[in-house]
């Protein structure tokens, strides 16, 4: 079983257009030193307002090496939904991936499992790939309900999807207490939870889907943490926040990922 690693940068609500272009170009310049086969799948998620600016910087050489993503979407196709952006619009802007269900969206914008499921379906129907986030709070971890909470988030997000749709989706396990805190989850523990997620998917869909789906870790990932994380059996990459906002640290995360043998 070989799962190509993914290193994704979630820029969150950061970077004006000129800064986003500069960051993209720095990462693209780094990536162009390698072949597509050598590199992990690289995905960058700028804000909606910077997507067009970043897309305009994607040349023929870097386009296949660096994909772009949106950080959210609406499940409706079009219409009277002021402030919302559809999957078709995101595709039209050049994106191949859409991050959904990030804990910041669940917490601050009251996104529910049901909404995340509708988004996942709309994204896959539109021909893009969802990066579906899940994760527990510190209280849930301390109460010993991490696994049951994550399993229920995963089952709800993937409800009604076909085996093929699940196989091409991406999951990001991001313990909330590890996001932006500098408190990286222990790599063995992150691997244990991710293996548990894979088993949930095997039960829900098929063994093949559980083996194929790529599951990332997110939460205070740095150039020095990634190598150990990538050496674990079930961690297929990272969803990076803070360290994705600088050319040097994100490039180093990519470089260190390439040191670890593909699973
Ligand atoms: P940090 O890497 O800043 O902890 O953020 C993780 C994250 O939320 C990525 O989506």
């Amino acid at each position: 079983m070989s799962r190509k690693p993914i290193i994704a940068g979630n820029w969150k609500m950061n970077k004006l257009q000129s800064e986003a272009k500069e960051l993209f170009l720095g990462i693209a310049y780094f990536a162009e030193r390698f072949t597509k086969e050598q590199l992990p799948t690289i995905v960058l998620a700028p804000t909606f307002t910077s997507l067009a600016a970043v897309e305009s910087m994607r040349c023929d050489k870097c386009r296949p090496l660096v994909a772009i993503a949106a950080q959210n979407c609406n499940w409706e196709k079009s219409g009277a939904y002021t402030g919302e952006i559809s999957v078709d619009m995101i595709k039209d802007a050049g994106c191949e991936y859409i991050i959904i269900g990030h804990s910041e969206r669940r917490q601050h914008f009251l996104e529910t499992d049901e909404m995340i499921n509708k988004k996942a379906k709309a994204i896959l129907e539109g021909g893009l790939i969802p990066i579906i986030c899940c994760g527990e709070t510190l209280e849930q971890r301390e109460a010993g309900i991490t696994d049951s909470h994550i399993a229920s988030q995963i089952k709800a997000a993937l409800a009604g999807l076909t085996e093929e749709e699940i196989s091409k989706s991406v999951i990001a396990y991001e313990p909330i207490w590890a996001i932006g805190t500098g408190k990286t989850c222990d790599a063995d523990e992150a691997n244990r939870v991710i293996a548990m997620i894979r088993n949930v998917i095997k039960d829900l869909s098929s063994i093949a889907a559980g083996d194929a789906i790529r599951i990332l870790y997110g939460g205070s990932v740095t150039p020095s943490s990634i190598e150990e994380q990538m050496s674990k059996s079930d961690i297929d990459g990272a969803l990076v926040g803070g360290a994705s906002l600088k050319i040097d640290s994100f490039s180093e995360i990519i470089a260190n990922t390439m040191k670890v043998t593909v699973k």
Side-chain angles (χ1 to χ4, degrees), residues 10 12 102 104 174 178-181 218-221 239-243:
N10 176 6
K12 306 191 181 182
H102 193 283
E104 288 151 16
E174 301 203 305
I179 295 177
T181 57
S220 298
V221 171
L239 182 55
V240 186

Side-chain angles (χ1 to χ4, degrees), residues 19-91:
E19 299 165 327
K21 281 198 226 178
E22 192 184 325
L23 179 55
F24 173 83
L25 282 178
I27 293 161
Y29 185 67
F30 171 81
E32 283 171 13
R33 290 162 38 191
F34 305 93
T35 64
K36 193 176 162 110
E37 289 65 42
Q38 288 172 312
L39 288 166
T41 300
I42 301 171
V43 182
L44 302 178
T47 62
F48 282 124
T49 55
S50 286
L51 276 177
V54 167
E55 169 62 15
S56 73
M57 296 288 107
R58 291 173 83 208
C59 59
D60 288 348
K61 190 165 179 205
C62 69
R63 179 174 297 278
L65 306 180
V66 186
I68 56 174
Q71 299 174 16
N72 182 29
C73 68
N74 192 283
W75 56 86
E76 298 289 349
K77 285 218 160 290
S78 62
Y81 301 100
T82 302
E84 293 297 291
I85 313 259
S86 74
V87 172
D88 279 352
M89 290 167 187
I90 290 168
K91 194 172 171 181

Side-chain angles (χ1 to χ4, degrees), residues 12-245:
K12 306 191 181 182
M13 197 171 75
N14 293 293
K15 306 287 177 190
L16 300 178
Q17 292 185 47
S18 57
E19 299 165 327
K21 281 198 226 178
E22 192 184 325
L23 179 55
F24 173 83
L25 282 178
I27 293 161
Y29 185 67
F30 171 81
E32 283 171 13
R33 290 162 38 191
F34 305 93
T35 64
K36 193 176 162 110
E37 289 65 42
Q38 288 172 312
L39 288 166
T41 300
I42 301 171
V43 182
L44 302 178
T47 62
F48 282 124
T49 55
S50 286
L51 276 177
V54 167
E55 169 62 15
S56 73
M57 296 288 107
R58 291 173 83 208
C59 59
D60 288 348
K61 190 165 179 205
C62 69
R63 179 174 297 278
L65 306 180
V66 186
I68 56 174
Q71 299 174 16
N72 182 29
C73 68
N74 192 283
W75 56 86
E76 298 289 349
K77 285 218 160 290
S78 62
Y81 301 100
T82 302
E84 293 297 291
I85 313 259
S86 74
V87 172
D88 279 352
M89 290 167 187
I90 290 168
K91 194 172 171 181
D92 189 44
C95 293
E96 289 161 56
Y97 296 80
I98 305 181
I99 299 171
I100 53 172
H102 193 283
S103 58
E104 288 151 16
R105 294 214 56 84
R106 294 179 191 252
Q107 187 190 340
H108 304 304
F109 307 102
L110 309 181
E111 243 179 61
T112 63
D113 282 334
E114 194 193 353
M115 288 155 80
I116 293 156
N117 179 241
K118 284 193 206 171
K119 291 181 187 198
K121 284 181 179 156
I123 293 167
L124 287 156
E125 273 164 26
L128 302 191
I129 298 173
I131 301 178
I132 305 165
C133 304
C134 60
E136 81 286 1
T137 61
L138 189 57
E139 291 70 35
Q140 287 167 328
R141 174 158 285 270
E142 285 171 349
I145 56 168
T146 297
D147 291 14
S148 59
H149 174 69
I150 305 284
S152 95
Q153 284 186 324
I154 294 297
K155 284 184 205 159
L158 301 180
L161 300 188
T162 66
E163 182 183 351
E164 195 194 338
E165 287 173 331
I166 292 178
S167 301
K168 65 172 110 145
S169 298
V170 177
I171 306 277
Y173 168 56
E174 301 203 305
I176 297 171
W177 48 271
I179 295 177
T181 57
K183 289 186 199 149
T184 316
C185 179
D186 174 75
D188 282 323
E189 172 58 11
N191 192 55
R192 186 195 68 75
V193 176
I194 288 177
M196 185 276 299
I197 295 172
R198 215 176 277 295
N199 283 331
V200 167
I201 293 169
K202 287 180 184 174
D203 283 347
L204 184 75
S205 181
S206 71
I207 292 181
D211 280 335
I213 193 167
R214 292 183 288 177
I215 312 182
L216 318 181
Y217 167 76
S220 298
V221 171
T222 63
S224 49
S225 75
I226 191 72
E227 226 176 310
E228 190 191 0
Q229 286 152 348
M230 287 307 300
S231 72
K232 302 296 171 191
S233 60
D234 284 85
I235 304 181
D236 300 323
L239 182 55
V240 186
S244 74
L245 297 174

